[in-house]
Amino acid sequence: MTHEQGGEQAPAPVAAGEAFGDSNALLRSVQRPGDSGAPESLVTVLVAFAINILIAVAKSVAAAVTGSASMLAEAAHSWADAGNEVLLLIADRRSRRPAHAAHPLGHGREAYVWSLLAGVGLFVVGAAISVAHGVQELIHAEPASNFVVGYVVLGISFVLEAISFLQGLRQARPEAETMQRDLIEHVLVTSDPTLRAVVFEDTAALIGVVIATAGLAAHELTGSSIPDAIGSILVGLLLAVVAIDLINRNRRFIVGQEADPRVRAAAIQALTAEPEVARVTYLRLEIVGPRKVSVIGYVDLTGDDNESRLARRLRALEAKISQSPAVAGTVLSLSSPDEPTITG
């Protein structure tokens, strides 16, 4: 029986790269994908930001020209997304700040704080405004016009959102393949909140464009603004669902979430393969930032050295593990003789 500590258990696995890297051949089986080159998350957010700004301006103009409630909801949606990308850029930048005495594990969890705020922004700016305007349109109906302008803007928006969506999937694919899981599962459980937020928002945007187009077309065909107003409400409800899910997932990482059980098993196997380690009796890998973990474990070292020699060997092993770019910090203690060995 292992010595499990308190804290929220991970309801689902996280990405393969979210544990140790390949530093000094330690824990080779959980090598981080994409450690070289420009950070993919930053590229993904910048692409999404540029596209959302263009789309938000176009939709705002189209909403003013057409008078469509669905188009106005989509404009609010795109402005909310653009604002969220700014928060995600802040999240990416602040989470990369180096560790220091006051924050020995770094600032990785800031990514989840700012991403949670982005979810709140999506709920307030996107969802609330869309629903409120749709309800207002049902009460005080106003006819729309210049439908062709709306269709053109929505069509262009769909293409641009698809480009941003594909960029997010391009980033997620190598990580998902490393863990042998499909893209959807990976996006749901990854410890990278910027990747998840962009993919979630782009998915909602693509669905929202379809809803807005249907509402606008029904308005044109029937001459009634009711379908258009319902479209606005549906877009708002869609954004509310996405925002609440993003808020909840970031909350889990803020309060503490363990890494994938498969990563934990691989880490135990790699540790026991070390010549210094006879067995492992406890190991906790807690996610402390995007693809960053802290390591706490109990190990039984080989040999029968005295106390001071064992302490030096233990510190050397901690330093070796902490050399990985995916490890924020390592704390190891000696196992008690009566503690059972763990294997996964």
Side-chain angles (χ1 to χ4, degrees):
M1 181 176 69
T2 60
H3 300 261
E4 293 296 340
Q5 295 180 337
E8 184 176 5
Q9 295 291 323
V14 294
E18 291 155 19
F20 304 159
D22 197 27
S23 181
N24 289 340
L26 183 62
L27 307 179
R28 191 185 307 276
S29 56
V30 284
Q31 180 180 359
R32 293 178 70 207
D35 273 341
S36 60
E40 280 291 312
S41 293
L42 180 60
V43 175
T44 298
V45 175
L46 288 174
V47 169
F49 176 71
I51 287 176
N52 279 319
I53 286 291
L54 291 173
I55 293 175
V57 172
K59 287 179 179 177
S60 298
V61 173
V65 171
T66 63
S68 166
S70 294
M71 184 62 71
L72 183 60
E74 277 297 291
H77 178 184
S78 294
W79 282 116
D81 282 354
N84 287 348
E85 309 311 336
V86 174
L87 293 176
L88 294 178
L89 288 171
I90 295 174
D92 182 79
R93 181 179 179 83
R94 293 184 67 87
S95 68
R96 294 178 184 275
R97 291 185 298 167
H100 52 78
H103 294 276
L105 297 181
H107 298 77
R109 282 199 174 104
E110 280 218 42
Y112 306 120
V113 175
W114 290 94
S115 298
L116 187 148
L117 293 176
V120 173
L122 183 64
F123 185 89
V124 174
V125 179
I129 290 178
S130 298
V131 171
H133 185 72
V135 171
Q136 183 181 9
E137 187 69 18
L138 286 175
I139 298 173
H140 304 290
E142 294 184 7
S145 59
N146 299 310
F147 294 97
V148 174
V149 174
Y151 296 140
V152 170
V153 169
L154 288 172
I156 294 174
S157 298
F158 190 89
V159 173
L160 293 177
E161 293 286 6
I163 292 173
S164 178
F165 178 73
L166 291 175
Q167 165 61 26
L169 294 185
R170 189 179 74 83
Q171 177 189 341
R173 184 170 289 108
E175 296 178 4
E177 289 175 352
T178 301
M179 278 299 284
Q180 298 180 349
R181 66 161 61 107
D182 60 57
L183 281 172
I184 295 176
E185 180 187 6
H186 176 70
V187 171
L188 288 174
V189 301
T190 179
S191 67
D192 184 349
T194 57
L195 169 63
R196 178 168 40 250
V198 169
V199 174
F200 273 36
E201 290 174 2
D202 288 343
T203 301
L206 291 171
I207 297 172
V209 168
V210 173
I211 293 174
T213 302
L216 194 63
H219 189 160
E220 182 179 19
L221 292 173
T222 64
S224 171
S225 63
I226 292 178
D228 201 13
I230 292 175
S232 178
I233 294 172
L234 290 177
V235 169
L237 294 177
L238 172 66
L239 297 183
V241 170
V242 171
I244 291 172
D245 191 43
L246 286 174
I247 291 169
N248 186 50
R249 291 180 186 277
N250 283 293
R251 175 194 62 82
R252 291 175 180 172
F253 284 104
I254 290 172
V255 300
Q257 182 160 308
E258 285 198 79
D260 185 334
R262 287 172 288 185
V263 172
R264 183 174 181 273
I268 293 171
Q269 182 180 3
L271 272 172
T272 53
E274 284 291 301
E276 291 283 301
V277 178
R279 65 194 185 102
V280 179
T281 61
Y282 172 72
L283 184 67
R284 177 176 175 83
L285 306 178
E286 183 172 334
I287 298 171
V288 294
R291 303 177 187 83
K292 286 279 188 179
V293 296
S294 70
V295 182
I296 300 175
Y298 303 160
V299 297
D300 188 6
L301 298 182
T302 56
D304 192 21
D305 287 331
N306 59 38
E307 184 177 345
S308 60
R309 172 65 178 164
L310 286 173
R312 287 195 294 269
R313 291 171 62 192
L314 204 61
R315 297 293 87 80
L317 183 58
E318 287 177 344
K320 186 175 185 180
I321 295 172
S322 297
Q323 286 177 356
S324 167
V327 176
T330 306
V331 177
L332 298 177
S333 300
L334 291 176
S335 301
S336 174
D338 61 340
E339 292 175 340
T341 302
I342 58 174
T343 58

